[in-house]
Amino acid sequence: MAEVLIDLNGVHRIYGDFEALKGVSLEVERGQIFGYLGPNGSGKTTTIKLILGLISPSSGKVHILGEDPYPDDDKAMDTRRHIGSMLEFNGLYENLTGLQNLVFWAELYGMNGQKAHEQAKILMDAVNLWEWNDVPVVKYSYGMHKRLALARALVSDPDILVLDEPTAGVDPESRYLIRNMMKDLADQGKTIFFSSHDLEEVQKVCSHIALLKKGKLISKGTLKDVISHFGRSRLFVRLKSPAYADLWAQEIRHIGRDIKVEGPLVSFYPENDFDTSRLSEKSILDTWKVDSSLEEVYLNLVADKNVNEKVET
Ligand code: ADP
Ligand code: MG
């Protein structure tokens, strides 16, 4: 059976009289890249802080590697050591060089001077900052800060990486590097949980996703399942000539939505009572389906006023 590394069960989190999370349950298994999506204020950072043991749930359970990460004791501290994280606050010292920052953190994790230095150099290379080893972090660009923060998250060689919007606002080169590193790290068996606003990125790197809206999950599962469950496929039909296409489009107008005709090509969303035998008519050359993008699914769900009916239990 797959090993569950991150397990949230019915988690609520209240700030004062505001309920930021309203019963979130999710499981992340070893080796998954799990994308956590939701509009601003939906509760992504709150969830991440709970996973990191920085705050405790108001009710419900958070388990990391089977343990509660929150308590101020040795066991929870051990659990937290298995997680590398990157939040908005990067834990970087601006007046130290990039290399010094990583050595500092490596020593904090118990490595001796020589070993810490080696590990720091390897990580500076990995995030493509080796030319900046000896430059104070204050001179780094925003994207370089983020790359160094990712290196810092990896210093202790954690099983789990938790990243809060790792590529938000960074330059294309840094975004590309961070994205590829996430994929490589997952290939090496690390488990990655990250929040993002970049739907294209999530579609490129994630195996699993969850969509959060106002503190509730509105969907979760493999990327493919979420898209096929909430997305709709557009059907493309190529006819033998544009004249057939016009005729055909006319005939299906009651069983197809959003019909578009371009030359001999007709595309539409089929209604439920669409008769598929129509696709074998003689005037048709070929047909194919195109699934929704994650962006379409997300926009549909987030904008959907009846979405509460779809909330998973
Ligand atoms: P996201 O990361 O998805 O933008 P957050 O988890 O940061 O969302 O915030 C969720 C909601 O909880 C927001 O409405 C935010 O204003 C509120 N919130 C977050 N942290 C606090 C806090 N420390 N005190 C009061 N309200 C908070
Ligand atoms: Mg946030």
Side-chain angles (χ1 to χ4, degrees):
M1 229 180 72
E3 190 187 357
V4 175
L5 270 62
I6 300 175
D7 186 4
L8 271 61
N9 195 345
V11 171
H12 293 251
R13 171 68 203 197
I14 297 164
Y15 296 113
D17 56 6
F18 177 73
E19 194 173 18
L21 291 183
K22 302 167 183 161
V24 168
S25 298
L26 59 86
E27 292 183 353
V28 183
E29 292 171 5
R30 189 178 287 281
Q32 288 181 352
I33 305 188
F34 196 104
Y36 201 48
L37 302 170
N40 280 332
S42 55
K44 299 182 298 298
T45 300
T46 299
T47 309
I48 282 176
K49 285 182 179 166
L50 286 160
I51 291 172
L52 298 178
L54 295 172
I55 57 176
S56 64
S58 305
S59 65
K61 292 259 179 283
V62 177
H63 281 131
I64 304 302
L65 293 157
E67 303 288 342
D68 182 351
Y70 181 72
D72 188 17
D73 59 27
D74 288 351
K75 202 163 155 199
M77 200 135 69
D78 259 2
T79 303
R80 292 196 294 268
R81 272 174 178 260
H82 290 281
I83 316 177
S85 67
M86 178 167 154
L87 296 177
E88 221 167 3
F89 165 66
N90 289 325
L92 302 174
Y93 296 95
E94 294 285 317
N95 294 324
L96 298 183
T97 68
L99 195 68
Q100 284 168 339
N101 263 281
L102 297 185
V103 170
F104 170 81
W105 284 99
E107 286 179 342
L108 207 69
Y109 280 111
M111 285 175 219
N112 65 32
Q114 173 76 15
K115 178 105 200 305
H117 199 259
E118 278 166 21
Q119 171 79 339
K121 275 184 95 167
I122 290 170
L123 287 171
M124 286 299 278
D125 283 354
V127 294
N128 227 355
L129 285 175
W130 52 276
E131 284 182 353
W132 294 76
N133 274 351
D134 302 322
V135 178
V137 171
V138 68
K139 300 222 168 106
Y140 285 20
S141 70
Y142 186 69
M144 288 158 66
H145 271 86
K146 285 282 182 188
R147 282 191 263 156
L148 184 61
L150 179 58
R152 186 192 74 80
L154 292 169
V155 159
S156 63
D157 192 23
D159 290 317
I160 306 170
L161 268 177
V162 176
L163 314 171
D164 197 6
E165 302 197 28
T167 56
V170 307
D171 57 284
E173 186 199 342
S174 298
R175 196 183 321 138
Y176 183 75
L177 183 132
I178 292 171
R179 212 182 262 178
N180 281 336
M181 272 187 81
M182 290 203 286
K183 283 198 256 184
D184 289 347
L185 290 162
D187 285 344
Q188 292 161 29
K190 301 218 184 286
T191 305
I192 302 177
F193 183 92
F194 79 109
S195 69
S196 180
H197 274 304
D198 187 337
L199 299 164
E200 208 182 307
E201 166 173 284
V202 167
Q203 189 153 16
K204 275 191 184 134
V205 305
C206 290
S207 56
H208 293 70
I209 61 170
L211 301 181
L212 188 68
K213 183 182 179 181
K214 293 186 181 162
K216 285 186 184 173
L217 288 188
I218 49 182
S219 180
K220 65 184 168 186
T222 65
L223 180 65
K224 217 167 151 246
D225 286 350
V226 171
I227 288 179
S228 68
H229 190 209
F230 288 108
R232 38 180 200 169
S233 299
R234 194 169 182 85
L235 201 55
F236 286 78
V237 177
R238 190 150 56 107
L239 292 114
K240 283 181 179 160
S241 84
Y244 284 130
D246 281 329
L247 211 61
W248 211 78
Q250 272 297 320
E251 280 180 29
I252 61 155
R253 67 187 183 280
H254 297 302
I255 42 176
R257 271 173 302 146
D258 193 16
I259 301 171
K260 286 186 185 140
V261 183
E262 285 177 83
L265 202 60
V266 179
S267 74
F268 60 100
Y269 294 111
E271 295 284 6
N272 290 339
D273 52 357
F274 179 74
D275 174 7
T276 50
S277 71
R278 297 220 55 167
L279 297 177
S280 53
E281 284 171 20
K282 279 201 189 109
S283 54
I284 291 174
L285 282 178
D286 53 2
T287 65
W288 64 94
K289 269 187 350 187
V290 175
D291 284 340
S292 300
S293 67
L294 179 60
E295 182 169 69
E296 284 171 301
V297 170
Y298 178 87
L299 291 175
N300 277 340
L301 283 173
V302 168
D304 185 350
K305 295 190 178 53
N306 300 318
V307 84
N308 286 340
E309 290 161 19
K310 293 175 190 160
V311 166
E312 294 185 26
T313 48

